[in-house]
Amino acid sequence: MGVVLLPGFMLDAGMWDELAPLLAPIGPVHHGDLFQDDTIEGMAARVLAGAPERFVLVGFSMGGFVAREVARMAPGRVRALVLVATSARGESASQQARRQAIAGRPEGQAFRGMSRAAIARGLHPGRAGDAALVDRLRAMGDRLGGEVFLRQTMMPRPPFDDRLGGIACPTLVVAAAQDALRSVEEAREIAAGIPGARLHIIEGSGHMVPIEAPGELARLILDVVSQAET
């Protein structure tokens, strides 16, 4: 058995640098490819094609949308599911407007990277001024580039709330108390919709939980895996 990690919007495997070594007791770490497809279903199918036969699945933010679809498509393969700082809601009006604005840009307009202000907003207020961390997160987006930015931005994100009840594997939902991008209420909605799901709220972290609170997140993941094995 191994663990499959699914990153958030315009983030790559570098977002797991602190967390991945702490998950070694589970088995080999695999990084899901969310960069080549323009639908959640396509991403999920690619993740399954590259995953071990049985695995623990951790989905962060946008990766949580894909993780739920993976668990729906292959329930017998997912040993435990961990959803971090994510949502089962569909797109908000502002998100739809942003997609439409990007779709209306002239073809070939250069990708200038992720905004430092937007990245800082995703961090705990106490770390928003950490220039090195902001630059590290921005560099991930630069590595992925404009084509991935367009695919992930334009990807439809329909609501999943009416399908949560179909997830049957042990599930942990993790939220951050100081997350300005995904609310604790959204996490509560997911946990309430998945039979037997546990909810844990991490204090002192913004949206980037795997980087801001890797030790606590690893402990929670190892705990849910241990319980799933008993």
Side-chain angles (χ1 to χ4, degrees), residues 93-105 153-154:
S94 62
Q95 289 168 329
Q96 291 175 354
R98 180 171 179 267
R99 282 211 304 142
Q100 291 168 0
I102 290 172
R105 289 178 182 175
T153 300
M154 301 308 295

Side-chain angles (χ1 to χ4, degrees), residues 40-41 44 48 57 65-76 78 81 160 162-169:
I40 290 174
E41 293 81 5
L48 282 166
L57 182 59
F65 286 69
V66 182
R68 291 193 305 269
E69 183 63 19
V70 170
R72 186 195 68 81
M73 291 172 65
V78 180
L81 175 65
F160 198 89
D162 61 343
R163 290 178 286 171
L164 290 172
I167 296 176
C169 60

Side-chain angles (χ1 to χ4, degrees), residues 74-145:
R77 293 179 61 185
V78 180
R79 188 71 187 89
L81 175 65
V82 181
L83 302 171
V84 184
T86 189
S87 177
R89 298 177 184 176
E91 290 178 308
S92 67
S94 62
Q95 289 168 329
Q96 291 175 354
R98 180 171 179 267
R99 282 211 304 142
Q100 291 168 0
I102 290 172
R105 289 178 182 175
E107 186 174 351
Q109 188 176 65
F111 171 66
R112 296 183 175 86
M114 303 300 293
S115 160
R116 285 185 172 85
I119 292 171
R121 184 169 175 263
L123 298 170
H124 185 277
R127 301 195 71 176
D130 185 336
L133 178 54
V134 171
D135 286 346
R136 171 188 167 187
L137 294 169
R138 193 171 193 270
M140 296 186 206
D142 291 344
R143 288 195 293 268
L144 294 174

Side-chain angles (χ1 to χ4, degrees), residues 164-165 167-173 190-199 224 227:
L164 290 172
I167 296 176
C169 60
T171 300
L172 170 68
V173 181
I190 297 174
I194 299 175
R198 294 169 47 201
L199 171 67
V224 77
Q227 292 188 18

